[in-house]
Amino acid sequence: MNVEKTIENLTKRGFAVRYFPTAAEAAAYLDASIDNKSVGIGGAVTLQQMGIYEALSRHNQVYWQWYAPEGVSKEETYAKAATADVYLSSVNAIAETGELINIDGTGNRVASTLYGHQKVYLVAGVNKIAADYEAALWRARNIASPKNAQRLHKNTPCAQKGDKCYNCSSPDRICRGLVVLWEPMNCMETEVILVGESLGY
């Protein structure tokens, strides 16, 4: 893994990039940068580990389906997150060559990395970095997706065995859509936050 090369190539592709040695420093930066906004957050273990919801909800209106208030459905939270000023997500893999890869089952997370917000922050630990596009795609399918299927208690071969993608046709399959960001979308600012720790899957 070459962090410097990854930052260089992300920057060449037009992404704003910031690197923080620790999750605490990255969380403090986000907390200071996002104020008095509506904020949508996609399901991301990385952001949960960083305590982002707790920090941002003190001075922003935050919509995250994992923290939906009592009496508010996940679907309602998805809808409010989709129209928030700011959106935060992680990624399943980052190629040293600059591609950002996400796989999704519901679609809310990947949709919001493409359209609908003033700004998107994509936050990832250095464990998500792979050598090139092919290696990043392999990581997203064979490392991140099985771990997420296990976390969600899905009845899929990858969740049961935890070793790789089986390209299954299970009704519980969470790998239903793939998004690759080669460059930031024209319609909104996208900032990549790299953290020098292992976070998420």
Side-chain angles (χ1 to χ4, degrees):
M1 149 192 29
N2 188 321
V3 175
E4 291 76 17
K5 180 181 176 183
T6 304
I7 293 171
E8 179 184 347
N9 285 323
L10 285 167
T11 303
K12 283 181 180 177
R13 289 174 179 270
F15 293 102
V17 186
R18 287 184 183 266
Y19 174 81
F20 296 93
T22 68
E25 291 170 281
Y29 167 74
L30 290 167
D31 192 28
S33 300
I34 305 168
D35 184 52
N36 197 28
K37 298 283 189 181
S38 58
V39 181
I41 301 180
V45 172
T46 293
L47 297 171
Q48 187 178 46
Q49 290 173 336
M50 293 170 64
I52 290 297
Y53 179 84
E54 293 81 0
L56 292 183
S57 60
R58 288 194 288 266
H59 53 106
N60 298 275
Q61 183 61 57
V62 182
Y63 303 105
W64 188 352
Q65 73 271 15
W66 291 0
Y67 297 89
E70 187 175 348
V72 178
S73 69
K74 284 186 177 182
E75 288 70 26
E76 290 177 86
T77 308
Y78 288 147
K80 289 180 178 178
T83 58
D85 300 326
V86 176
Y87 196 83
L88 281 76
S89 178
S90 189
V91 295
N92 296 136
I94 303 174
E96 287 183 10
T97 44
E99 299 91 344
L100 300 162
I101 296 177
N102 259 326
I103 292 174
D104 206 356
T106 302
N108 62 301
R109 185 167 54 92
V110 295
S112 279
T113 66
L114 296 172
Y115 187 80
H117 308 281
Q118 295 171 10
K119 184 167 183 174
V120 169
Y121 292 91
L122 299 173
V123 186
V126 292
N127 55 305
K128 303 285 186 79
I129 297 175
D132 53 26
Y133 170 76
E134 288 76 16
L137 179 59
W138 186 92
R139 185 195 191 283
R141 297 192 69 186
N142 295 285
I143 296 178
S145 293
K147 288 183 181 296
N148 277 307
Q150 288 179 327
R151 174 178 60 82
L152 295 167
H153 307 292
K154 296 298 185 180
N155 184 24
T156 60
C158 72
Q160 292 166 2
K161 299 182 181 181
D163 57 347
K164 65 177 182 178
C165 173
Y166 288 83
N167 198 26
C168 71
S169 56
S170 167
D172 265 3
R173 177 176 174 144
I174 65 167
C175 300
R176 293 175 179 266
L178 170 71
V179 164
V180 181
L181 288 176
W182 286 291
E183 295 182 359
M185 304 305 291
N186 287 327
C187 56
M188 61 189 181
E189 185 181 357
T190 303
E191 184 169 340
V192 179
I193 307 295
L194 276 177
V195 182
E197 295 181 358
S198 180
L199 292 166
Y201 305 140

